[in-house]
mmCIF file of all heavy atoms in Angstrom:
data_model
loop_
_atom_site.group_PDB
_atom_site.id
_atom_site.type_symbol
_atom_site.label_atom_id
_atom_site.label_comp_id
_atom_site.label_asym_id
_atom_site.label_seq_id
_atom_site.Cartn_x
_atom_site.Cartn_y
_atom_site.Cartn_z
ATOM 1 N N PRO A 1 -148.377 103.211 53.117
ATOM 2 C CA PRO A 1 -149.809 103.517 53.004
ATOM 3 C C PRO A 1 -150.490 103.763 54.343
ATOM 4 O O PRO A 1 -151.345 104.655 54.453
ATOM 5 C CB PRO A 1 -150.368 102.270 52.300
ATOM 6 C CG PRO A 1 -149.238 101.801 51.444
ATOM 7 C CD PRO A 1 -147.999 102.062 52.263
ATOM 8 N N ARG A 2 -150.138 102.997 55.384
ATOM 9 C CA ARG A 2 -150.786 103.198 56.682
ATOM 10 C C ARG A 2 -150.448 104.565 57.272
ATOM 11 O O ARG A 2 -151.274 105.171 57.975
ATOM 12 C CB ARG A 2 -150.393 102.078 57.649
ATOM 13 C CG ARG A 2 -148.926 102.020 58.014
ATOM 14 C CD ARG A 2 -148.618 100.791 58.861
ATOM 15 N NE ARG A 2 -147.262 100.737 59.340
ATOM 16 C CZ ARG A 2 -146.222 100.297 58.641
ATOM 17 N NH1 ARG A 2 -146.423 99.866 57.404
ATOM 18 N NH2 ARG A 2 -145.014 100.267 59.164
ATOM 19 N N HIS A 3 -149.234 105.063 56.996
ATOM 20 C CA HIS A 3 -148.856 106.386 57.499
ATOM 21 C C HIS A 3 -149.618 107.483 56.758
ATOM 22 O O HIS A 3 -150.025 108.481 57.363
ATOM 23 C CB HIS A 3 -147.350 106.604 57.318
ATOM 24 C CG HIS A 3 -146.522 105.549 57.973
ATOM 25 N ND1 HIS A 3 -145.485 104.906 57.324
ATOM 26 C CD2 HIS A 3 -146.575 105.010 59.228
ATOM 27 C CE1 HIS A 3 -144.931 104.035 58.143
ATOM 28 N NE2 HIS A 3 -145.579 104.069 59.296
ATOM 29 N N LEU A 4 -149.819 107.297 55.449
ATOM 30 C CA LEU A 4 -150.577 108.293 54.696
ATOM 31 C C LEU A 4 -152.037 108.318 55.143
ATOM 32 O O LEU A 4 -152.668 109.390 55.190
ATOM 33 C CB LEU A 4 -150.489 108.006 53.197
ATOM 34 C CG LEU A 4 -149.089 108.062 52.568
ATOM 35 C CD1 LEU A 4 -149.202 108.045 51.044
ATOM 36 C CD2 LEU A 4 -148.308 109.273 53.034
ATOM 37 N N ALA A 5 -152.589 107.160 55.472
ATOM 38 C CA ALA A 5 -153.956 107.126 55.990
ATOM 39 C C ALA A 5 -154.058 107.923 57.290
ATOM 40 O O ALA A 5 -155.012 108.680 57.502
ATOM 41 C CB ALA A 5 -154.394 105.677 56.211
ATOM 42 N N LEU A 6 -153.069 107.751 58.166
ATOM 43 C CA LEU A 6 -153.055 108.507 59.422
ATOM 44 C C LEU A 6 -152.922 109.994 59.145
ATOM 45 O O LEU A 6 -153.629 110.816 59.750
ATOM 46 C CB LEU A 6 -151.920 108.017 60.311
ATOM 47 C CG LEU A 6 -151.683 108.797 61.607
ATOM 48 C CD1 LEU A 6 -152.928 108.810 62.477
ATOM 49 C CD2 LEU A 6 -150.501 108.220 62.372
ATOM 50 N N ALA A 7 -152.031 110.374 58.234
ATOM 51 C CA ALA A 7 -151.865 111.787 57.908
ATOM 52 C C ALA A 7 -153.157 112.387 57.369
ATOM 53 O O ALA A 7 -153.515 113.530 57.692
ATOM 54 C CB ALA A 7 -150.729 111.965 56.895
ATOM 55 N N ALA A 8 -153.871 111.618 56.555
ATOM 56 C CA ALA A 8 -155.156 112.088 56.046
ATOM 57 C C ALA A 8 -156.150 112.291 57.183
ATOM 58 O O ALA A 8 -156.876 113.287 57.216
ATOM 59 C CB ALA A 8 -155.704 111.102 55.022
ATOM 60 N N ALA A 9 -156.178 111.347 58.129
ATOM 61 C CA ALA A 9 -157.078 111.489 59.289
ATOM 62 C C ALA A 9 -156.725 112.710 60.123
ATOM 63 O O ALA A 9 -157.587 113.286 60.790
ATOM 64 C CB ALA A 9 -157.010 110.232 60.149
ATOM 65 N N MET A 10 -155.455 113.119 60.064
ATOM 66 C CA MET A 10 -155.010 114.319 60.774
ATOM 67 C C MET A 10 -155.324 115.586 59.995
ATOM 68 O O MET A 10 -154.984 116.686 60.429
ATOM 69 C CB MET A 10 -153.505 114.226 61.036
ATOM 70 C CG MET A 10 -153.107 113.090 61.948
ATOM 71 S SD MET A 10 -151.329 112.757 61.901
ATOM 72 C CE MET A 10 -150.673 114.247 62.622
ATOM 73 N N ASN A 11 -155.900 115.419 58.799
ATOM 74 C CA ASN A 11 -156.273 116.544 57.932
ATOM 75 C C ASN A 11 -155.059 117.235 57.336
ATOM 76 O O ASN A 11 -155.053 118.446 57.119
ATOM 77 C CB ASN A 11 -157.151 117.562 58.675
ATOM 78 C CG ASN A 11 -157.955 118.431 57.721
ATOM 79 O OD1 ASN A 11 -158.232 118.037 56.594
ATOM 80 N ND2 ASN A 11 -158.328 119.624 58.166
ATOM 81 N N CYS A 12 -154.007 116.459 57.042
ATOM 82 C CA CYS A 12 -152.807 116.994 56.418
ATOM 83 C C CYS A 12 -152.905 116.804 54.903
ATOM 84 O O CYS A 12 -152.887 115.675 54.425
ATOM 85 C CB CYS A 12 -151.563 116.288 56.946
ATOM 86 S SG CYS A 12 -151.286 116.499 58.720
ATOM 87 N N ALA A 13 -152.991 117.884 54.166
ATOM 88 C CA ALA A 13 -153.065 117.797 52.706
ATOM 89 C C ALA A 13 -151.687 117.752 52.074
ATOM 90 O O ALA A 13 -151.536 117.291 50.941
ATOM 91 C CB ALA A 13 -153.848 118.981 52.148
ATOM 92 N N THR A 14 -150.671 118.240 52.777
ATOM 93 C CA THR A 14 -149.295 118.214 52.294
ATOM 94 C C THR A 14 -148.384 117.743 53.419
ATOM 95 O O THR A 14 -148.714 117.864 54.599
ATOM 96 C CB THR A 14 -148.830 119.601 51.810
ATOM 97 O OG1 THR A 14 -148.925 120.529 52.902
ATOM 98 C CG2 THR A 14 -149.676 120.091 50.653
ATOM 99 N N LEU A 15 -147.218 117.214 53.039
ATOM 100 C CA LEU A 15 -146.226 116.764 54.010
ATOM 101 C C LEU A 15 -144.859 117.312 53.622
ATOM 102 O O LEU A 15 -144.544 117.460 52.433
ATOM 103 C CB LEU A 15 -146.163 115.230 54.055
ATOM 104 C CG LEU A 15 -147.427 114.489 54.509
ATOM 105 C CD1 LEU A 15 -147.199 112.991 54.451
ATOM 106 C CD2 LEU A 15 -147.843 114.917 55.909
ATOM 107 N N VAL A 16 -144.039 117.591 54.625
ATOM 108 C CA VAL A 16 -142.667 118.035 54.395
ATOM 109 C C VAL A 16 -141.760 116.803 54.423
ATOM 110 O O VAL A 16 -141.709 116.087 55.423
ATOM 111 C CB VAL A 16 -142.222 119.060 55.455
ATOM 112 C CG1 VAL A 16 -140.758 119.453 55.231
ATOM 113 C CG2 VAL A 16 -143.117 120.290 55.408
ATOM 114 N N VAL A 17 -141.076 116.558 53.321
ATOM 115 C CA VAL A 17 -140.260 115.345 53.158
ATOM 116 C C VAL A 17 -138.854 115.733 52.708
ATOM 117 O O VAL A 17 -138.600 116.861 52.283
ATOM 118 C CB VAL A 17 -140.895 114.380 52.136
ATOM 119 C CG1 VAL A 17 -142.254 113.898 52.606
ATOM 120 C CG2 VAL A 17 -141.005 115.040 50.758
ATOM 121 N N ARG A 18 -137.936 114.778 52.807
ATOM 122 C CA ARG A 18 -136.590 114.979 52.294
ATOM 123 C C ARG A 18 -136.581 114.911 50.765
ATOM 124 O O ARG A 18 -137.294 114.101 50.170
ATOM 125 C CB ARG A 18 -135.640 113.914 52.828
ATOM 126 C CG ARG A 18 -135.374 114.012 54.307
ATOM 127 C CD ARG A 18 -134.465 115.159 54.640
ATOM 128 N NE ARG A 18 -134.434 115.376 56.079
ATOM 129 C CZ ARG A 18 -134.008 116.481 56.658
ATOM 130 N NH1 ARG A 18 -133.570 117.484 55.901
ATOM 131 N NH2 ARG A 18 -134.000 116.597 57.970
ATOM 132 N N ARG A 19 -135.783 115.780 50.176
ATOM 133 C CA ARG A 19 -135.573 115.675 48.738
ATOM 134 C C ARG A 19 -134.925 114.333 48.413
ATOM 135 O O ARG A 19 -134.068 113.858 49.146
ATOM 136 C CB ARG A 19 -134.668 116.817 48.255
ATOM 137 C CG ARG A 19 -134.332 116.721 46.771
ATOM 138 C CD ARG A 19 -133.535 117.914 46.294
ATOM 139 N NE ARG A 19 -132.199 118.014 46.844
ATOM 140 C CZ ARG A 19 -131.165 117.292 46.462
ATOM 141 N NH1 ARG A 19 -131.310 116.329 45.550
ATOM 142 N NH2 ARG A 19 -129.969 117.486 46.994
ATOM 143 N N ARG A 20 -135.351 113.720 47.314
ATOM 144 C CA ARG A 20 -134.742 112.462 46.895
ATOM 145 C C ARG A 20 -133.300 112.699 46.444
ATOM 146 O O ARG A 20 -133.041 113.610 45.642
ATOM 147 C CB ARG A 20 -135.520 111.841 45.736
ATOM 148 C CG ARG A 20 -136.855 111.217 46.114
ATOM 149 C CD ARG A 20 -137.376 110.410 44.935
ATOM 150 N NE ARG A 20 -138.622 109.752 45.247
ATOM 151 C CZ ARG A 20 -139.825 110.167 44.842
ATOM 152 N NH1 ARG A 20 -139.902 111.281 44.129
ATOM 153 N NH2 ARG A 20 -140.920 109.512 45.162
ATOM 154 N N PRO A 21 -132.354 111.888 46.894
ATOM 155 C CA PRO A 21 -130.997 112.006 46.370
ATOM 156 C C PRO A 21 -130.977 111.711 44.869
ATOM 157 O O PRO A 21 -131.545 110.726 44.406
ATOM 158 C CB PRO A 21 -130.221 110.931 47.147
ATOM 159 C CG PRO A 21 -131.025 110.685 48.387
ATOM 160 C CD PRO A 21 -132.450 110.880 47.975
ATOM 161 N N ARG A 22 -130.319 112.574 44.120
ATOM 162 C CA ARG A 22 -130.187 112.382 42.682
ATOM 163 C C ARG A 22 -128.896 111.620 42.409
ATOM 164 O O ARG A 22 -127.803 112.077 42.765
ATOM 165 C CB ARG A 22 -130.200 113.725 41.955
ATOM 166 C CG ARG A 22 -131.559 114.433 41.997
ATOM 167 C CD ARG A 22 -131.557 115.678 41.137
ATOM 168 N NE ARG A 22 -130.815 116.749 41.781
ATOM 169 C CZ ARG A 22 -131.353 117.669 42.576
ATOM 170 N NH1 ARG A 22 -132.653 117.643 42.835
ATOM 171 N NH2 ARG A 22 -130.610 118.612 43.133
ATOM 172 N N VAL A 23 -129.025 110.481 41.760
ATOM 173 C CA VAL A 23 -127.870 109.607 41.528
ATOM 174 C C VAL A 23 -127.724 109.377 40.033
ATOM 175 O O VAL A 23 -128.576 108.739 39.397
ATOM 176 C CB VAL A 23 -128.033 108.255 42.266
ATOM 177 C CG1 VAL A 23 -126.783 107.402 42.071
ATOM 178 C CG2 VAL A 23 -128.319 108.471 43.753
ATOM 179 N N GLY A 24 -126.650 109.917 39.468
ATOM 180 C CA GLY A 24 -126.357 109.670 38.067
ATOM 181 C C GLY A 24 -125.819 108.260 37.875
ATOM 182 O O GLY A 24 -124.975 107.805 38.645
ATOM 183 N N VAL A 25 -126.305 107.570 36.863
ATOM 184 C CA VAL A 25 -125.891 106.192 36.578
ATOM 185 C C VAL A 25 -125.266 106.163 35.198
ATOM 186 O O VAL A 25 -125.935 106.401 34.190
ATOM 187 C CB VAL A 25 -127.076 105.212 36.658
ATOM 188 C CG1 VAL A 25 -126.622 103.793 36.369
ATOM 189 C CG2 VAL A 25 -127.749 105.292 38.028
ATOM 190 N N LEU A 26 -123.957 105.870 35.160
ATOM 191 C CA LEU A 26 -123.204 105.880 33.911
ATOM 192 C C LEU A 26 -122.574 104.519 33.656
ATOM 193 O O LEU A 26 -121.675 104.088 34.377
ATOM 194 C CB LEU A 26 -122.106 106.957 33.967
ATOM 195 C CG LEU A 26 -121.133 106.991 32.784
ATOM 196 C CD1 LEU A 26 -121.885 107.302 31.479
ATOM 197 C CD2 LEU A 26 -120.034 108.006 33.029
ATOM 198 N N ALA A 27 -123.059 103.839 32.629
ATOM 199 C CA ALA A 27 -122.422 102.590 32.191
ATOM 200 C C ALA A 27 -121.295 102.941 31.225
ATOM 201 O O ALA A 27 -121.364 103.935 30.491
ATOM 202 C CB ALA A 27 -123.440 101.687 31.517
ATOM 203 N N THR A 28 -120.247 102.135 31.238
ATOM 204 C CA THR A 28 -119.106 102.419 30.372
ATOM 205 C C THR A 28 -118.669 101.153 29.636
ATOM 206 O O THR A 28 -118.742 100.055 30.179
ATOM 207 C CB THR A 28 -117.915 102.950 31.191
ATOM 208 O OG1 THR A 28 -117.413 101.912 32.053
ATOM 209 C CG2 THR A 28 -118.318 104.144 32.041
ATOM 210 N N GLY A 29 -118.236 101.335 28.401
ATOM 211 C CA GLY A 29 -117.681 100.199 27.669
ATOM 212 C C GLY A 29 -118.183 100.107 26.249
ATOM 213 O O GLY A 29 -119.391 100.158 26.002
ATOM 214 N N ASP A 30 -117.248 99.947 25.289
ATOM 215 C CA ASP A 30 -117.627 99.769 23.888
ATOM 216 C C ASP A 30 -118.400 98.480 23.665
ATOM 217 O O ASP A 30 -119.096 98.336 22.643
ATOM 218 C CB ASP A 30 -116.361 99.738 23.010
ATOM 219 C CG ASP A 30 -115.639 101.084 22.964
ATOM 220 O OD1 ASP A 30 -116.311 102.111 23.170
ATOM 221 O OD2 ASP A 30 -114.422 101.086 22.735
ATOM 222 N N GLU A 31 -118.256 97.549 24.587
ATOM 223 C CA GLU A 31 -118.894 96.242 24.397
ATOM 224 C C GLU A 31 -120.370 96.237 24.767
ATOM 225 O O GLU A 31 -121.069 95.244 24.528
ATOM 226 C CB GLU A 31 -118.161 95.171 25.223
ATOM 227 C CG GLU A 31 -118.458 95.183 26.721
ATOM 228 C CD GLU A 31 -117.649 96.223 27.509
ATOM 229 O OE1 GLU A 31 -117.039 97.115 26.879
ATOM 230 O OE2 GLU A 31 -117.623 96.131 28.747
ATOM 231 N N LEU A 32 -120.894 97.341 25.321
ATOM 232 C CA LEU A 32 -122.258 97.350 25.856
ATOM 233 C C LEU A 32 -123.255 97.957 24.872
ATOM 234 O O LEU A 32 -122.960 98.958 24.193
ATOM 235 C CB LEU A 32 -122.313 98.148 27.156
ATOM 236 C CG LEU A 32 -121.461 97.634 28.317
ATOM 237 C CD1 LEU A 32 -121.604 98.555 29.529
ATOM 238 C CD2 LEU A 32 -121.842 96.205 28.675
#
């Protein structure tokens, strides 16, 4: 939050960020 406040004070309406890594989550087992 403190960084976004600073960015707002800098008059930045958008920021360039890294894409979030997409992680598939697969549970396995007949017992679940």
Side-chain angles (χ1 to χ4, degrees):
R2 64 186 185 278
H3 304 132
L4 298 192
L6 174 58
M10 296 166 66
N11 201 25
C12 298
T14 59
L15 297 178
V16 177
V17 297
R18 292 286 169 197
R19 176 175 67 77
R20 286 191 178 103
R22 291 186 285 268
V23 183
V25 180
L26 174 62
T28 67
D30 292 334
E31 77 278 13
L32 299 179

